[in-house]
Amino acid sequence: MAEPVLSLRGLDIRFNSDGHRSRVVNGIGFDLMAGQTLGLVGESGCGKSVTSLAIMRLLASPPAEIAAGEVIFEKRDLLKLSERDMRELRGGRIGMIFQEPMTSLNPVYTCGAQIIESLQRHSGLTGRPARERAIELLELVRLPSPEKRVDDYPHQLSGGQRQRVMIALALANDPAVLIADEPTTALDVTIQSQILDLLRDLQERTGTAVLMITHDLGVVAETCQAVVIMYAGTVVERGRVESIFGDPQHPYTIGLMAAVPRMDTRRGRLAAIPGSVPPPWAQVPGCRFAARCPLADDRCRSEPPGLREIAPGHEIACWKAPIEGMSEMETHS
Amino acid sequence: MTALLKTEGLTKHFPVRRGVLRRQVGTVQAVTDVSFELGSNETLAIVGESGCGKSTLGRALLRLHEPSGGKVWLQDMDVTALDKRGLREARRHMQIIFQDPFGSLNPRMTVRETLAEPLLLHGLATPATVRAETDRLIDLCGLSRWHAERYPHEFSGGQRQRVGIARALATRPKLIICDEPVSALDVSVQAQIVNLLQDLQSELGIAYVFISHDLAVVRHIAGKVAVMYLGRVVEEAATEDLFDAPRHPYTRILIDSAPRPDPTAIRHRLPVKGGTPSALAMPPGCAFHPRCPLAIDRCRSVRPELRQVGQSRVACHLAEKVVGMEAGRAEAENPALTRRLAVLERARAGSA
């Protein structure tokens, strides 16, 4: 049985601003296993990016406040570490890549210098060996002519090439965990498929566990072994990728999957989910999806459902599940 | 029957100037020699990746970018020959909506004021009738009266796009250019807007030029598709033909590259090299040849013209070869999803 490398337990994140006290993330938890890619999926405002920033302790506080929970990585709670210890981890044992590499690379340093800085800081590598390792890393991410590119500035590269440099930088010190926040969202689809192939391949070779944060169910299907579906700051469903896609149970997951336009069939109308996500400051006593859920009853509106196992390794937070086998009568009540 | 919209050799090149004398040092060939026809009640999708010229083409149709060559006809009217006054009148019939409607809405105007302005400007309503007319637009786009007296910043992305659509509809256009109208929206909301556009078309008979990089959305909304690469149309076909039998290697790669929401899908991808080159330095021959996995010597020197192959128009020397190649396996139906969606929809219908 694989060990979790990263575990979140009951994480509560609040934002205090403009007199609103918003509960952005409500008691979420999951385990990222060694060698696994876990997809953290949801639409804008579901709290997925805030969660990743909280793991790295990159949330500005105030306005953010981590009210409860723990983030266990290599037997330590990251939320209790000193800033000094966190700096050691970031870019070292935990790597991170973002949606727009241009804003995370420093424009006034060459790509090579930025990788070398990280190697120096975390692995104590300097001089010629550091440069050689940087070239090796650029080769690993299949940047063409790496021995020349190592001296290029970020603006001299295309978007796809910059994302390759970001990946090289994130992997420089053999991290145990790579957090990828929408890594291909800003890229064209032909470049996206190249980067996804690369990430898959690198993971097989290095065994790094990946936390893939995305809104795109296609990216999840192509890269992840496990999935956590988030809605308005809560985990609504989680399980292995085959069971989530083959056996979706939560009304939100079902709605989300049905809303994705597919290339292989021309269906009539797309199945939209009516309404919109409640704002984070809304006081929702029950299930946060209840207002958009056609099955919601009084209990759904008053009592928040907890996660429970519905099949081995497949958990869901819904009072109504499993919805199949519900008779006409029940659904109309 | 004359087409509603027709272009002949539409071209837009931007000069690149450098130095104190602003001497022209090059040309960005954003759009070159694009010809198509579109009937009323039809949707033509223009697809391609960033920098292919699809947005420039959309703007050139309205003369928001002055075309450098070619013609645009709106029914019998030569749009490219109109003077300022005539152009303003023509634009009443051809409207545009954008990816980010927030940028195109005046933040200091309520929704009702935003909708009333074009109505009064074009004499489509009088101060006495304007209220009823704006109410009609608000209902048409699935907004409520509550929205009418509010400002754009108070809305979510999906609601703002509804306002953008309502504003475009105000002048009762025959044609709307939709420039990536759902790209910034979450999928559940994206589906609402795609459905709205389809409903409006069947109700009002509007034609759409639907500019998008997302082929899956295009498959749902368009009757015809034109694929652009570096400023030129490389393939044009009816939607079903294009997706069932893509004939240009680039079309084929675009279709295969999009990640499928199905972990059991088996993929066959043509390997595509590198990224799109700059439109400042066009490769000789076929613009796609540096990235094309099938390219032969001829592709490097002779630019292929658009030609009829089967039901499609394709600009590729090897079009006949691409069709027979093995494609990625089509996704299996997802019976559990279909059954459960049916339960949800039944419940929704029951409570409505």
Side-chain angles (χ1 to χ4, degrees):
Chain A
M1 187 60 201
E3 284 285 300
V5 278
L6 181 72
S7 293
L8 266 65
R9 296 277 167 266
L11 191 65
D12 253 346
I13 305 172
R14 298 178 188 175
F15 274 73
N16 305 307
S17 60
D18 297 341
H20 289 305
R21 201 169 135 86
S22 304
R23 302 186 61 185
V24 176
V25 169
N26 291 301
I28 70 156
F30 56 79
D31 288 323
L32 174 61
M33 300 296 178
Q36 188 187 55
T37 299
L38 174 93
L40 193 55
V41 192
E43 299 182 286
S44 356
C46 74
K48 57 190 190 299
S49 287
V50 167
T51 301
S52 76
L53 293 172
I55 295 170
M56 294 295 265
R57 293 257 308 272
L58 290 171
L59 282 175
S61 178
E65 176 200 343
I66 297 177
E70 40 188 34
V71 177
I72 307 294
F73 175 72
E74 298 186 329
K75 301 199 171 67
R76 293 190 289 179
D77 182 356
L78 299 189
L79 302 181
K80 295 203 176 85
L81 289 191
S82 67
E83 186 50 42
R84 192 195 166 95
D85 288 342
M86 269 318 290
R87 270 206 299 274
E88 201 59 50
L89 279 178
R90 294 186 201 116
R93 298 292 293 157
I94 304 181
M96 197 157 183
I97 53 179
F98 299 95
Q99 178 171 338
E100 183 28 80
M102 195 61 203
T103 52
S104 11
L105 290 170
N106 190 328
V108 300
Y109 290 102
T110 63
C111 298
Q114 298 183 55
I115 298 175
I116 290 166
E117 185 194 3
S118 173
L119 289 169
Q120 244 164 22
R121 176 83 178 72
H122 295 285
S123 305
L125 224 53
T126 52
R128 210 180 171 77
R131 187 179 160 85
E132 273 162 16
R133 173 76 181 138
I135 294 173
E136 217 177 278
L137 284 161
L138 293 178
E139 216 174 303
L140 183 74
V141 297
R142 289 185 233 131
L143 197 70
S145 42
E147 59 294 332
K148 282 194 208 115
R149 290 304 193 185
V150 73
D151 296 317
D152 274 357
Y153 290 89
H155 76 265
Q156 293 171 284
L157 305 176
S158 69
Q161 290 170 335
R162 281 201 285 267
Q163 199 55 292
R164 285 175 196 270
V165 172
M166 266 311 289
I167 295 170
L169 190 56
L171 294 178
N173 300 293
D174 300 316
V177 171
L178 175 67
I179 299 177
D181 191 352
E182 303 271 7
T184 59
T185 304
L187 304 175
D188 275 325
V189 30
T190 56
I191 310 299
Q192 165 171 273
S193 75
Q194 294 167 4
I195 298 289
L196 291 179
D197 283 345
L198 174 70
L199 282 172
R200 238 191 331 260
D201 179 50
L202 287 177
Q203 198 204 13
E204 272 166 30
R205 284 162 59 182
T206 61
T208 308
V210 179
L211 179 61
M212 177 72 78
I213 292 152
T214 180
H215 70 284
D216 187 334
L217 288 170
V219 170
V220 175
E222 292 211 351
T223 59
C224 300
Q225 289 90 50
V227 188
V228 174
I229 310 261
M230 287 184 73
Y231 182 78
T234 58
V235 172
V236 294
E237 188 161 5
R238 66 183 185 201
R240 282 179 303 112
V241 71
E242 303 81 24
S243 44
I244 296 288
F245 279 84
D247 183 26
Q249 294 279 355
H250 196 284
Y252 175 65
T253 313
I254 294 165
L256 190 63
M257 286 186 181
V260 178
R262 301 270 292 242
M263 203 107 68
D264 50 349
T265 47
R266 181 174 185 151
R267 291 179 309 209
R269 288 171 72 78
L270 289 171
I273 306 177
S276 52
V277 184
W281 57 84
Q283 302 280 335
V284 183
C287 169
R288 297 181 75 84
F289 188 61
R292 300 173 79 185
C293 180
L295 304 178
D297 61 12
D298 288 344
R299 187 188 194 188
C300 301
R301 283 183 280 269
S302 58
E303 222 181 307
L307 278 171
R308 62 189 163 100
E309 199 165 60
I310 197 160
H314 189 158
E315 291 168 289
I316 172 175
C318 174
W319 296 121
K320 291 291 184 179
I323 63 171
E324 254 177 296
M326 286 179 87
S327 67
E328 289 280 304
M329 286 303 292
E330 282 174 273
T331 59
H332 281 196
S333 65
Chain B
M1 192 200 105
T2 54
L4 174 70
L5 179 74
K6 188 174 160 190
T7 70
E8 282 172 8
L10 189 63
T11 298
K12 175 67 197 178
H13 291 175
F14 294 95
V16 179
R17 297 176 195 282
R18 291 250 164 81
V20 278
L21 298 174
R22 310 304 295 156
R23 269 206 314 216
Q24 187 171 341
V25 294
T27 309
V28 174
Q29 302 177 25
V31 175
T32 306
D33 197 15
V34 172
S35 304
F36 62 79
E37 281 186 24
L38 178 66
S40 48
N41 215 1
E42 280 184 354
T43 302
L44 168 72
I46 311 280
V47 304
E49 297 180 287
S50 36
C52 75
K54 55 190 191 300
S55 288
T56 306
L57 173 63
R59 284 168 168 74
L61 292 173
L62 286 171
R63 284 177 60 189
L64 293 172
H65 285 318
E66 201 57 54
S68 359
K71 297 244 177 254
V72 177
W73 298 83
L74 182 69
Q75 287 173 323
D76 299 326
M77 185 167 41
D78 180 353
V79 176
T80 35
L82 293 174
D83 60 10
K84 242 183 167 165
R85 218 191 140 91
L87 187 60
R88 202 164 90 178
E89 179 60 20
R91 282 186 184 151
R92 210 195 98 189
H93 301 293
M94 35 205 305
Q95 288 285 317
I96 185 164
I97 56 177
F98 300 97
Q99 174 171 346
D100 175 18
F102 199 54
S104 53
L105 296 172
N106 187 333
R108 290 164 187 273
M109 281 163 100
T110 64
V111 169
R112 190 183 295 286
E113 287 162 356
T114 297
L115 298 179
E117 194 174 48
L119 289 170
L120 297 170
L121 200 71
H122 286 284
L124 296 166
T126 63
T129 62
V130 74
R131 194 176 173 88
E133 188 61 12
T134 49
D135 280 345
R136 187 186 70 88
L137 290 166
I138 286 163
D139 292 344
L140 203 55
C141 293
L143 295 163
S144 66
R145 300 290 155 82
W146 179 86
H147 294 105
E149 318 307 333
R150 295 186 183 264
Y151 293 90
H153 75 265
E154 298 178 77
F155 297 148
S156 68
Q159 289 165 338
R160 266 180 220 153
Q161 196 53 285
R162 288 178 193 271
V163 176
I165 294 169
R167 195 209 48 80
L169 287 174
T171 60
R172 301 180 185 248
K174 299 179 178 123
L175 169 74
I176 299 181
I177 315 244
C178 309
D179 190 355
E180 301 270 12
V182 296
S183 304
L185 304 175
D186 279 320
V187 285
S188 68
V189 178
Q190 168 179 297
Q192 295 172 9
I193 299 296
V194 168
N195 288 342
L196 173 65
L197 287 171
Q198 283 176 320
D199 292 346
L200 291 170
Q201 182 166 60
S202 53
E203 225 166 290
L204 308 169
I206 305 170
Y208 296 128
V209 173
F210 192 89
I211 297 164
S212 178
H213 71 280
D214 186 338
L215 272 87
V217 170
V218 161
R219 175 146 214 188
H220 276 268
I221 201 161
K224 305 196 271 189
V225 183
V227 180
M228 285 183 77
Y229 189 76
L230 278 178
R232 285 177 189 271
V233 172
V234 295
E235 180 162 3
E236 189 197 335
T239 306
E240 293 307 300
D241 293 327
L242 188 101
F243 283 90
D244 291 345
R247 287 163 197 274
H248 197 287
Y250 180 61
T251 312
R252 178 61 199 273
I253 285 163
L254 274 185
I255 293 173
D256 289 350
S257 294
R260 309 278 158 114
D262 179 358
T264 62
I266 296 166
R267 291 164 196 93
H268 285 276
R269 276 190 193 136
L270 288 177
V272 60
K273 289 168 267 179
T276 314
S278 155
L280 251 173
M282 282 294 184
C286 170
F288 188 57
H289 87 256
R291 302 178 69 196
C292 183
L294 307 176
I296 54 172
D297 280 347
R298 188 152 170 242
C299 307
R300 291 181 253 276
S301 53
V302 184
R303 187 170 56 73
E305 294 292 338
L306 268 179
R307 62 193 169 101
Q308 196 75 33
V309 180
Q311 298 299 306
S312 316
R313 289 203 301 155
V314 197
C316 175
H317 297 308
L318 302 166
E320 284 80 0
K321 209 175 143 191
V322 178
V323 172
M325 290 171 40
E326 194 182 358
R329 200 185 79 190
E331 291 123 294
E333 284 294 304
N334 187 336
L337 179 65
T338 313
R339 281 197 310 272
R340 285 165 202 170
L341 186 68
V343 172
L344 294 181
E345 279 175 353
R346 221 165 42 229
R348 192 163 281 138
S351 62

